[in-house]
Amino acid sequence: MYKDEIDTDKLPQHVAITMDGNGRWAKSKGKFRVFGHQSGVKAVRDTVEGAAEIGLKYITLYAFSTENWDRPKREVNALMSLLVSTINKETKTLLNNNIRLEAIGNIEELPKKCQSELKEAIEKTKHGSRTTLILALSYSSRWEIINAIKQIVKNKVSEKNINEELFSQYLTTKGVPNPELLIRTSGEQRISNFLLWQIAYSELYFTDILWPEFRREDLFEAIYKFQQRERRFGKISEQLKEKN
Ligand code: FPP
């Protein structure tokens, strides 16, 4: 069991996941794509509960990208309804696990019902202190970066004050540590416009598991394997050893 192998004193603070493969999973079963998304909710629940179980501070899930709006209308509508019903139904799971819900992305683009469910769940779970679950919805990194630049210009920030720290404050992830680990399921090895600024030094972990079959043990495996890697941040191995 990977869970027992994890060093809980050295957990990443933040794990981000690109949930991919719902459509292919459904197709392999001779079902419609939407069935894959519905089954993906079980993977979301188990993974998020697993994150809380080991005390992960932040988990971000890429649930809907800006580019996903270009999918067939039927699929977009089904995904939006699924989001509304899942957020509504799962608020209890979040409260039971002491999890706080947050959202990043162009939330105003979402259907009104989706926005109101989201707002309500965020409000109800705001005291959750074990884990913060961040849903990336109508999110894309380039949108986020352009948005940050617009705000910086609007606030007439002087050039001499612009640095990495200031820029980070204008991103939707303001106050959230950068993910040390980014997981993508389904065998695709791409970033797809996800947290481009924030993953500058993240470890990338790709697994062939299709999202509907991903479970907490797979998260634990990714974290365990992350802990076996050496993160050098541009330095050499010996410099890191000197520090310890
Ligand atoms: C990618 O698979 C998955 C999505 C675009 C949607 C993810 C949504 C869920 C798992 C359901 C709801 C989630 C929450 C957080 C309540 P894909 O459709 O791109 O799969 P494919 O690459 O096989 O076509």
Coordinates of all heavy atoms in Angstrom, one line a residue, residues 111-154:
P111 N -23.0 29.0 -16.3 CA -24.5 29.3 -16.2 C -24.8 29.7 -14.8 O -24.1 29.3 -13.8 CB -25.1 27.9 -16.4 CG -24.1 27.1 -17.1 CD -22.7 27.6 -16.7
K112 N -25.8 30.6 -14.7 CA -26.1 31.2 -13.4 C -26.3 30.2 -12.3 O -25.9 30.4 -11.1 CB -27.4 32.1 -13.5 CG -27.2 33.4 -14.3 CD -26.6 34.5 -13.4 CE -26.1 35.7 -14.1 NZ -25.0 35.5 -15.1
K113 N -27.0 29.1 -12.6 CA -27.3 28.0 -11.6 C -26.0 27.4 -11.1 O -25.9 27.2 -9.9 CB -28.1 27.0 -12.3 CG -28.6 25.8 -11.4 CD -29.6 26.2 -10.4 CE -29.9 25.1 -9.4 NZ -30.4 25.5 -8.1
C114 N -25.0 27.3 -12.0 CA -23.8 26.7 -11.6 C -23.0 27.7 -10.6 O -22.5 27.3 -9.6 CB -23.0 26.5 -12.8 SG -21.7 25.3 -12.7
Q115 N -23.1 29.0 -11.0 CA -22.4 30.0 -10.1 C -23.1 30.0 -8.8 O -22.3 30.1 -7.8 CB -22.6 31.4 -10.8 CG -21.8 31.6 -12.1 CD -21.9 33.0 -12.5 OE1 -21.8 33.9 -11.8 NE2 -22.1 33.2 -13.8
S116 N -24.4 29.9 -8.7 CA -25.0 30.0 -7.4 C -24.7 28.8 -6.5 O -24.5 28.9 -5.3 CB -26.5 30.3 -7.5 OG -27.1 29.3 -8.2
E117 N -24.7 27.6 -7.1 CA -24.4 26.4 -6.4 C -23.0 26.5 -5.8 O -22.7 26.1 -4.7 CB -24.5 25.1 -7.2 CG -25.9 24.7 -7.6 CD -26.8 24.3 -6.4 OE1 -26.2 23.9 -5.3 OE2 -28.0 24.2 -6.6
L118 N -22.1 26.9 -6.7 CA -20.7 27.1 -6.3 C -20.5 28.0 -5.1 O -19.9 27.7 -4.2 CB -20.0 27.6 -7.6 CG -18.5 27.3 -7.7 CD1 -18.2 25.8 -7.6 CD2 -18.0 27.8 -9.1
K119 N -21.2 29.2 -5.3 CA -21.1 30.2 -4.2 C -21.6 29.7 -2.9 O -21.0 29.9 -1.9 CB -22.0 31.4 -4.7 CG -21.3 32.7 -4.4 CD -22.1 33.9 -5.0 CE -22.2 35.0 -4.0 NZ -23.1 36.0 -4.5
E120 N -22.7 28.9 -3.0 CA -23.3 28.4 -1.7 C -22.4 27.4 -1.1 O -22.1 27.4 0.1 CB -24.6 27.7 -2.1 CG -25.6 27.6 -0.9 CD -26.9 26.9 -1.3 OE1 -27.4 27.2 -2.4 OE2 -27.3 26.0 -0.5
A121 N -21.8 26.5 -1.9 CA -20.9 25.5 -1.4 C -19.6 26.1 -0.8 O -19.1 25.7 0.2 CB -20.6 24.4 -2.5
I122 N -19.2 27.1 -1.5 CA -17.9 27.8 -1.0 C -18.2 28.4 0.4 O -17.4 28.3 1.3 CB -17.5 28.9 -2.0 CG1 -16.9 28.2 -3.3 CG2 -16.4 29.8 -1.4 CD1 -16.6 29.1 -4.4
E123 N -19.4 29.1 0.5 CA -19.8 29.7 1.7 C -20.0 28.7 2.9 O -19.4 28.8 3.9 CB -21.1 30.5 1.5 CG -21.7 31.2 2.7 CD -20.8 32.2 3.3 OE1 -19.9 32.8 2.6 OE2 -20.9 32.4 4.6
K124 N -20.7 27.6 2.5 CA -20.9 26.5 3.6 C -19.7 25.9 4.1 O -19.6 25.4 5.2 CB -21.9 25.5 3.0 CG -23.3 25.8 3.0 CD -24.1 24.6 2.6 CE -25.6 24.9 2.5 NZ -26.3 24.0 1.6
T125 N -18.7 25.7 3.2 CA -17.5 25.0 3.6 C -16.3 25.9 4.0 O -15.2 25.4 4.2 CB -17.0 24.1 2.4 OG1 -16.7 24.9 1.3 CG2 -18.1 23.1 2.0
K126 N -16.6 27.2 4.1 CA -15.4 28.1 4.3 C -14.6 27.9 5.6 O -13.5 28.3 5.6 CB -15.9 29.6 4.2 CG -16.8 30.0 5.4 CD -17.1 31.5 5.2 CE -18.0 31.9 6.3 NZ -18.7 33.2 6.1
H127 N -15.1 27.1 6.5 CA -14.3 26.9 7.7 C -13.5 25.6 7.7 O -12.8 25.2 8.6 CB -15.2 26.9 9.0 CG -15.9 28.2 9.2 ND1 -15.2 29.4 9.4 CD2 -17.2 28.5 9.2 CE1 -16.0 30.4 9.5 NE2 -17.3 29.9 9.4
G128 N -13.7 24.8 6.5 CA -12.9 23.6 6.4 C -11.4 23.9 6.5 O -10.9 24.7 5.8
S129 N -10.7 23.2 7.4 CA -9.4 23.5 7.6 C -8.4 22.4 7.3 O -7.2 22.6 7.4 CB -9.2 24.0 9.1 OG -9.6 22.9 9.9
R130 N -8.9 21.2 6.9 CA -7.9 20.1 6.7 C -7.3 20.3 5.3 O -6.1 20.2 5.1 CB -8.7 18.8 6.8 CG -7.7 17.6 6.7 CD -8.2 16.4 7.5 NE -7.2 15.3 7.3 CZ -6.2 15.1 8.1 NH1 -6.0 16.0 9.1 NH2 -5.4 14.1 7.9
T131 N -8.2 20.4 4.3 CA -7.8 20.5 2.9 C -8.6 21.5 2.1 O -9.8 21.7 2.4 CB -8.0 19.1 2.2 OG1 -7.2 18.1 2.9 CG2 -7.7 19.1 0.7
T132 N -8.0 22.2 1.2 CA -8.7 23.1 0.3 C -8.8 22.5 -1.1 O -7.8 22.1 -1.6 CB -8.0 24.5 0.2 OG1 -8.0 25.1 1.5 CG2 -8.8 25.4 -0.7
L133 N -10.0 22.3 -1.5 CA -10.2 21.7 -2.9 C -10.5 22.9 -3.8 O -11.4 23.7 -3.6 CB -11.4 20.8 -2.9 CG -12.1 20.5 -4.2 CD1 -11.1 19.7 -5.1 CD2 -13.3 19.6 -4.1
I134 N -9.7 23.1 -4.8 CA -9.9 24.2 -5.8 C -10.3 23.6 -7.1 O -9.6 22.8 -7.7 CB -8.5 25.0 -6.0 CG1 -8.0 25.5 -4.6 CG2 -8.8 26.1 -6.9 CD1 -6.6 26.1 -4.7
L135 N -11.5 24.0 -7.6 CA -12.0 23.6 -8.9 C -11.6 24.6 -9.9 O -11.9 25.8 -9.7 CB -13.5 23.4 -8.9 CG -14.0 22.3 -8.0 CD1 -15.6 22.2 -8.2 CD2 -13.4 20.9 -8.3
A136 N -10.9 24.2 -10.9 CA -10.6 25.1 -12.0 C -11.7 25.0 -13.1 O -11.9 23.9 -13.6 CB -9.3 24.8 -12.7
L137 N -12.5 26.0 -13.2 CA -13.7 26.0 -14.0 C -13.7 27.1 -15.0 O -13.5 28.3 -14.6 CB -15.0 26.1 -13.1 CG -15.2 24.9 -12.2 CD1 -16.3 25.3 -11.2 CD2 -15.7 23.7 -13.0
S138 N -13.9 26.8 -16.3 CA -13.8 27.9 -17.3 C -12.4 28.5 -17.1 O -12.3 29.8 -17.1 CB -14.9 28.9 -17.3 OG -14.9 29.7 -18.4
Y139 N -11.4 27.7 -16.8 CA -10.1 28.2 -16.5 C -9.2 28.0 -17.7 O -9.2 26.9 -18.4 CB -9.5 27.5 -15.3 CG -8.1 27.8 -15.0 CD1 -7.8 28.9 -14.2 CD2 -7.1 27.1 -15.6 CE1 -6.5 29.3 -14.0 CE2 -5.7 27.5 -15.4 CZ -5.5 28.6 -14.6 OH -4.1 28.9 -14.3
S140 N -8.3 28.9 -18.0 CA -7.1 28.7 -18.8 C -6.1 29.6 -18.3 O -6.3 30.7 -17.8 CB -7.4 28.9 -20.3 OG -7.2 30.2 -20.6
S141 N -4.8 29.1 -18.4 CA -3.7 29.9 -17.8 C -3.5 31.2 -18.6 O -3.2 32.2 -17.9 CB -2.5 29.0 -17.8 OG -1.6 29.4 -16.8
R142 N -3.6 31.2 -19.9 CA -3.4 32.4 -20.6 C -4.4 33.4 -20.3 O -4.2 34.6 -20.2 CB -3.3 32.1 -22.1 CG -2.1 31.3 -22.5 CD -2.0 31.1 -24.0 NE -0.7 30.4 -24.3 CZ -0.4 30.1 -25.5 NH1 -1.2 30.3 -26.5 NH2 0.7 29.5 -25.8
W143 N -5.7 33.0 -20.1 CA -6.7 33.9 -19.7 C -6.4 34.5 -18.4 O -6.4 35.7 -18.2 CB -8.1 33.1 -19.5 CG -9.1 33.9 -18.7 CD1 -9.9 34.9 -19.2 CD2 -9.3 33.8 -17.3 NE1 -10.6 35.4 -18.2 CE2 -10.3 34.8 -17.0 CE3 -8.8 33.0 -16.3 CZ2 -10.8 35.0 -15.7 CZ3 -9.3 33.2 -15.0 CH2 -10.3 34.2 -14.7
E144 N -5.9 33.7 -17.4 CA -5.5 34.2 -16.1 C -4.4 35.2 -16.1 O -4.4 36.2 -15.5 CB -5.1 33.0 -15.3 CG -4.6 33.3 -13.9 CD -4.1 32.1 -13.1 OE1 -3.4 31.3 -13.7 OE2 -4.5 32.0 -11.9
I145 N -3.4 34.9 -17.0 CA -2.2 35.8 -17.1 C -2.6 37.1 -17.7 O -2.2 38.2 -17.2 CB -1.1 35.1 -17.8 CG1 -0.5 34.0 -16.9 CG2 0.0 36.1 -18.2 CD1 0.5 33.0 -17.6
I146 N -3.4 37.1 -18.8 CA -3.9 38.3 -19.4 C -4.7 39.1 -18.4 O -4.6 40.4 -18.3 CB -4.7 38.0 -20.7 CG1 -3.9 37.3 -21.7 CG2 -5.4 39.2 -21.2 CD1 -2.9 38.1 -22.5
N147 N -5.6 38.4 -17.7 CA -6.4 39.0 -16.7 C -5.6 39.8 -15.6 O -5.9 40.9 -15.2 CB -7.2 37.9 -16.0 CG -8.5 38.5 -15.4 OD1 -9.1 39.3 -15.9 ND2 -8.7 38.0 -14.2
A148 N -4.5 39.1 -15.2 CA -3.6 39.7 -14.2 C -2.9 41.0 -14.8 O -2.9 42.0 -14.1 CB -2.5 38.7 -13.8
I149 N -2.5 40.9 -16.0 CA -1.8 42.1 -16.6 C -2.8 43.2 -16.7 O -2.5 44.4 -16.4 CB -1.3 41.7 -18.1 CG1 -0.2 40.7 -17.9 CG2 -0.8 43.0 -18.8 CD1 0.3 40.0 -19.2
K150 N -4.1 42.9 -17.1 CA -5.1 44.0 -17.2 C -5.3 44.7 -15.8 O -5.4 45.9 -15.8 CB -6.4 43.4 -17.7 CG -6.5 43.1 -19.1 CD -7.8 42.6 -19.5 CE -7.9 42.3 -21.0 NZ -9.1 41.6 -21.4
Q151 N -5.3 43.9 -14.8 CA -5.5 44.4 -13.4 C -4.3 45.3 -13.0 O -4.4 46.3 -12.4 CB -5.7 43.3 -12.4 CG -7.0 42.5 -12.6 CD -8.2 43.3 -12.6 OE1 -8.4 44.3 -11.8 NE2 -9.1 43.0 -13.6
I152 N -3.1 44.8 -13.3 CA -1.9 45.5 -13.0 C -1.9 46.9 -13.7 O -1.6 47.9 -13.1 CB -0.6 44.7 -13.3 CG1 -0.5 43.5 -12.4 CG2 0.7 45.5 -13.3 CD1 0.5 42.5 -12.7
V153 N -2.3 46.9 -15.0 CA -2.3 48.2 -15.7 C -3.4 49.1 -15.1 O -3.1 50.3 -14.9 CB -2.6 47.9 -17.2 CG1 -2.8 49.2 -18.0 CG2 -1.4 47.1 -17.8
K154 N -4.5 48.5 -14.9 CA -5.6 49.3 -14.3 C -5.2 49.9 -13.0 O -5.6 51.1 -12.7 CB -6.8 48.3 -14.1 CG -8.2 48.9 -14.3 CD -9.2 47.8 -14.0 CE -10.5 48.1 -14.4 NZ -11.3 46.8 -14.3

